[in-house]
Amino acid sequence: MAYSKEVIQHYENPLNVGSMNKEDPKVGTGLVGAPQCGDVMKLQIKINDDGIIEDAKFKTFGCGSAIASSSLATEWVKGRSIDEAMAITNTEIVEGLSLPPVKIHCSVLAEDAIKAAITDYKEKQSKQQDNSVAQ
Amino acid sequence: MTVNIPVFMDNHSTTQADPRVVDAMIPYFTEKFGNAASRNHAFGWEAEAAVDHAREQIADVIGGSGREIVFTSGATESDNLAIRGAAEFYKQRGNHIITVQTEHKAVLDTCKKLEREGYDVTYLNPAKDGLVTPEDVVGAMTDQTILVTIMLANNEIGVVQPIEAIGHAIKKRNPKVIFHSDIVQAVGKIPVDVEKMRLDMASLSAHKMYGPKGIGALWVRRRPRVRIAPMIHGGGHERGMRSGTLNVPLIVGFGVAAMLAKTDMKEEAERMKALRDRLYDKITSELDEVYVNGSMEHRLPGSLNISFAFVEGESLLMAMKDIAVSSGSACTSASLEPSYVLRALGIGEELAHTSIRYGIGRFNTVEEIDYTADVTVRSVRWLRELSPLWEMHKEGVDLTKIEWTNTH
């Protein structure tokens, strides 16, 4: 299969590869996919006191399109509020990378990863609030 | 010595035609263009003589007779003709066929078609090393069994089945059962002898042995005579088993390729094995969590299939873009399913997704092997840095204990 130039660019020079401390209350971690399916994405976001995503990192096991989708997703969430990041859809990723129909599931996984990271962050925040209320 | 990129190391898929093959073919496109079936003029006689010479050359590599060669468009047609042809011709004797789960799709899909037509097919499950035993085969035979079809060497993992022992076991149990083998990947790489192997039919393809694409053969035993119903009807060519004007230039090329395969085999096999072992040693000395798929002992000399745990195959192919290899990853197949061959061996899907097939051939050099090993090691390391699974593995996380989402 021929890859789009956008996919090749992100695959060869992926942005925001790495990991953040998943115990940090400011960090949300999303882990989606399954090794048996050939795709696993870990996407992490770090949210500042103003509720803005100030940093994002990813690691992905998957095809070139999956790696490119997660690279683009981390780049897009940076600088956005949580609600803005929640609004990112897989179709935008499909368009951004010119993904063929057979690779749409990669973009779906990237959207899921963003949402999972935000959910994880929110859960951490509510637990912290519960803790402070209890104290 | 420099390496010319891209490097071709996918010789199970096809091979470069040997220049000696191409040279021999050319006159048969131009001045020697006769129809081998033209019985009454010099053009026809010349073409027929060339075809008959090629039959002898091809039969000679497998220990058969030139009169037993039926030319086809390739091994897919040969497999179809052998299986459908025998099933139809011998249907009065029974309706049971035995094959193996790791066969080429040309065999499996033909068997599935026959199942829909009322035949019973047993698909033997190979052991973890990819091999079946004579006991497995004989154990599956019933009084309804008419045909057993088992490939000699596997196209994906390169393992070589004990065909001689299987052939003897089948014939001891019931000499009337027809034994067919797809020997495409083995010819010219390991010794093939249809008599010793007790075969009744064997499928060959020219382009897997440095010949041209679009020509293959089915060897069909004459003594005792094996009968098949034809699939293509027409002028009664090829003793009525496969009608259609013979493609003389391709047949001439096939013949020369076979002749070269025979004369060069011993030396070439040793060289291929040395290159393969060099590639294996270089990769395994630099990387851990690397698994060979299929028996290393019973394997074609130029063949290597490796799973690189925690790295997905298609992304690895992309990183190794200057090297032509193939992968068992789902993403590289039209079906989006990981390799059925690896799954039949009981290899987990997570490892099947990470497999790479290297096929070393006549024209590969030591420099290309070293380059391929270096690129493989570099690419796997880079992709493991990108892999959350590798990170978790390094942290000591048991990946089998994780509740994964999206498990389809």
Side-chain angles (χ1 to χ4, degrees), chain A residues 96-111:
Chain A
L97 293 172
S98 310
L99 292 180
V102 70
K103 293 297 184 186
I104 285 173
H105 70 279
C106 298
S107 68
V108 173
L109 211 55
E111 183 191 321

Side-chain angles (χ1 to χ4, degrees), chain A residues 6 8 10 14 25 30 33 41-42 44 49 57 64 66 70 82-83 91-93 100 108 113 117 120 124-125 132-133:
Chain A
E6 295 90 346
I8 291 172
H10 274 278
M41 280 183 198
K42 187 186 79 166
Q44 294 182 299
D49 295 337
K57 295 281 182 203
S70 24
I82 288 175
D83 289 343
T91 36
E92 292 171 79
I93 295 168
V108 173
D120 180 58
K124 273 185 184 168
Q125 290 297 307
S132 50
V133 169

Side-chain angles (χ1 to χ4, degrees), chain A residues 29-42 108-110 112-113 116, chain B residues 399 402-408:
Chain A
T29 302
L31 183 67
V32 296
Q36 299 91 306
C37 305
D39 291 302
V40 176
M41 280 183 198
K42 187 186 79 166
V108 173
L109 211 55
D112 289 349
Chain B
L399 294 174
I402 302 222
E403 276 189 40
W404 299 102
T405 65
N406 196 29
T407 48
H408 56 253

Side-chain angles (χ1 to χ4, degrees), chain B residues 23-64:
Chain B
D23 287 347
M25 286 167 62
I26 287 172
Y28 291 90
F29 285 107
T30 50
E31 70 262 30
K32 300 180 182 180
F33 59 86
N35 185 330
S38 297
R39 287 283 160 79
N40 41 18
H41 56 63
F43 292 88
W45 300 329
E46 186 177 47
E48 190 184 19
V51 166
D52 285 344
H53 183 53
R55 285 187 205 282
E56 294 300 332
Q57 290 174 312
I58 295 158
D60 199 33
V61 201
I62 59 171

Side-chain angles (χ1 to χ4, degrees), chain A residues 3 7 11-12 14 17 19 31-38 40 42 59-64 67 102-103 109, chain B residues 310-312 314-315 318-319 321 331 336 349-350 353 382-383 385-389 391-392 404-408:
Chain A
Y3 302 96
V7 167
Y11 173 78
E12 289 185 344
V17 174
S19 293
L31 183 67
V32 296
Q36 299 91 306
C37 305
V40 176
K42 187 186 79 166
K59 285 201 174 190
T60 290
F61 163 85
C63 64
I67 290 170
V102 70
K103 293 297 184 186
L109 211 55
Chain B
F310 317 116
V311 172
E312 195 277 327
E314 187 189 335
S315 64
M318 217 169 151
K321 65 179 190 298
C331 288
L336 290 181
E349 291 196 358
E350 71 284 0
H353 282 291
W382 179 65
L383 287 166
E385 283 309 305
L386 237 66
S387 168
L389 304 179
E391 181 179 74
M392 291 158 88
W404 299 102
T405 65
N406 196 29
T407 48
H408 56 253

Side-chain angles (χ1 to χ4, degrees), chain B residues 20-204:
Chain B
R20 293 168 287 185
V21 166
V22 179
D23 287 347
M25 286 167 62
I26 287 172
Y28 291 90
F29 285 107
T30 50
E31 70 262 30
K32 300 180 182 180
F33 59 86
N35 185 330
S38 297
R39 287 283 160 79
N40 41 18
H41 56 63
F43 292 88
W45 300 329
E46 186 177 47
E48 190 184 19
V51 166
D52 285 344
H53 183 53
R55 285 187 205 282
E56 294 300 332
Q57 290 174 312
I58 295 158
D60 199 33
V61 201
I62 59 171
S65 147
R67 295 163 73 201
E68 297 172 317
I69 296 291
V70 175
F71 286 111
T72 65
S73 61
T76 292
E77 187 190 327
S78 299
D79 288 342
N80 272 262
L81 177 59
I83 296 166
R84 292 188 61 80
E88 188 173 326
F89 194 88
Y90 294 108
K91 65 184 170 203
Q92 302 304 331
R93 285 190 193 168
N95 71 340
H96 182 231
I97 297 166
I98 298 171
T99 187
V100 183
Q101 291 170 358
T102 48
E103 290 293 309
H104 193 274
K105 286 284 185 187
V107 168
L108 294 178
D109 287 354
T110 304
C111 287
K112 281 186 193 135
K113 166 80 171 144
L114 288 171
E115 276 185 297
R116 290 195 293 274
E117 292 173 11
Y119 290 86
D120 280 337
V121 182
T122 299
Y123 301 91
L124 296 171
N125 186 13
K128 177 95 185 175
D129 60 5
L131 300 175
V132 291
T133 64
E135 293 75 31
D136 294 337
V137 179
V138 173
M141 284 171 73
T142 70
D143 58 1
Q144 286 294 305
T145 306
I146 49 175
L147 172 71
V148 177
T149 172
I150 298 176
M151 68 194 343
L152 179 49
N154 186 272
N155 51 301
E156 188 167 327
I157 52 177
V159 301
V160 177
Q161 299 289 358
I163 290 296
E164 191 175 326
I166 292 171
H168 279 268
I170 292 168
K171 295 296 177 178
K172 190 177 164 197
R173 167 78 195 271
N174 180 358
K176 283 189 163 178
V177 168
I178 303 294
F179 186 30
H180 165 254
S181 183
D182 179 328
I183 61 170
V184 165
Q185 296 288 344
V187 180
K189 288 154 190 124
I190 56 171
V192 178
D193 186 326
V194 290
E195 293 302 330
K196 278 190 189 161
M197 293 172 172
R198 305 292 301 270
L199 287 168
D200 295 302
M201 292 189 281
S203 301
L204 298 92

